Amino acid sequence: MSIEIKNKQEEKAREELTLLIQRYPALSGIEENIWQAFSMMRDSYSEGGKLLLCGNGGSSADTDHIVGELMKAFCSKRPLAPELLSNVKKLFGEEEASYFEKHLEQGLPAISFSSQTALHTAFSNDQDETLFYAQCLLGYGKPEDLLFCISTSGNAKNVSYALKLAKAMGIPSILLTGKDGGKGRAIADLSLIAPSNETYQIQELHLPIYHCLCLMLERYFFAV
């Protein structure tokens, strides 16, 4: 497969994708789609956007996992911007600036809708719970953001509603799924379909896919 590499940052990201396919040859059929997913996520972050995630069950846990990899250092150091450290030093002194520099890590903003427990229970008590993810998107979503949904079948109703609302709001979307992609495949702007029909096998392939995407983003934005 031919992927056009425009700069050194993309070259570093491409290296991670190559390693992924070497470790998981079964994913070679969606290699180009993984690169496209990375490109969409990169563009969103470059435009000041954030990643908004949703899923159910194990996929819900996966969305929290992704947030954990993006919001702090994953495999590379993420130094704070010199301008920020300079401001901290001016406001609070050298000691505080050094403490921040030593212990804080630059994050890539990401929010898992399933972690909004109080909002979830309040909304579900008053409205149709299947629209909860759509409600989160309505509150958080901006055109520069990206919606990242996970559904092993692609047929989860709450995920589908979020994908439909994203399209209406002009927010790009990615669906990480399996089997034939389900109904969500026709709604999402891009689908990453793990090559399996068994739910647990789909989930086993989802983890290396999103780990790779997180690594690609980290290499693009933070690698020296």
Side-chain angles (χ1 to χ4, degrees), residues 95-222:
E95 184 177 352
E96 206 77 310
S98 297
Y99 185 73
F100 278 24
E101 183 177 21
K102 181 178 180 180
H103 296 291
L104 286 178
E105 303 166 333
Q106 187 62 53
L108 292 169
I111 299 172
S112 169
F113 291 164
S114 62
S115 67
Q116 312 294 295
T117 307
L119 174 61
H120 191 173
T121 55
F123 183 83
S124 299
N125 187 60
D126 298 333
Q127 301 292 346
D128 182 352
E129 187 174 15
T130 56
L131 287 169
F132 174 68
Y133 289 153
Q135 180 66 34
C136 289
L137 181 67
L138 189 62
Y140 285 120
K142 303 294 181 184
E144 62 270 21
D145 296 336
L146 178 66
L147 178 65
F148 193 102
C149 301
I150 307 179
S151 170
T152 56
S153 68
N155 293 319
K157 289 184 178 180
N158 53 359
V159 168
S160 292
Y161 283 135
L163 286 168
K164 290 177 179 177
L165 186 62
K167 191 167 290 292
M169 294 175 66
I171 297 174
S173 62
I174 296 172
L175 175 65
L176 181 58
T177 185
K179 301 181 181 179
D180 63 358
K183 296 178 181 178
R185 181 179 186 177
I187 311 171
D189 293 311
L190 175 68
S191 293
L192 300 176
I193 303 176
S196 177
N197 290 314
E198 289 288 345
T199 298
Y200 75 92
Q201 292 178 5
I202 294 168
Q203 291 174 326
E204 288 173 355
L205 291 172
H206 279 181
L207 188 146
I209 292 171
Y210 68 68
H211 261 176
C212 181
L213 287 169
C214 292
L215 282 168
M216 292 168 76
L217 290 166
E218 186 171 68
R219 293 270 280 168
Y220 182 86
F221 285 106
F222 299 108

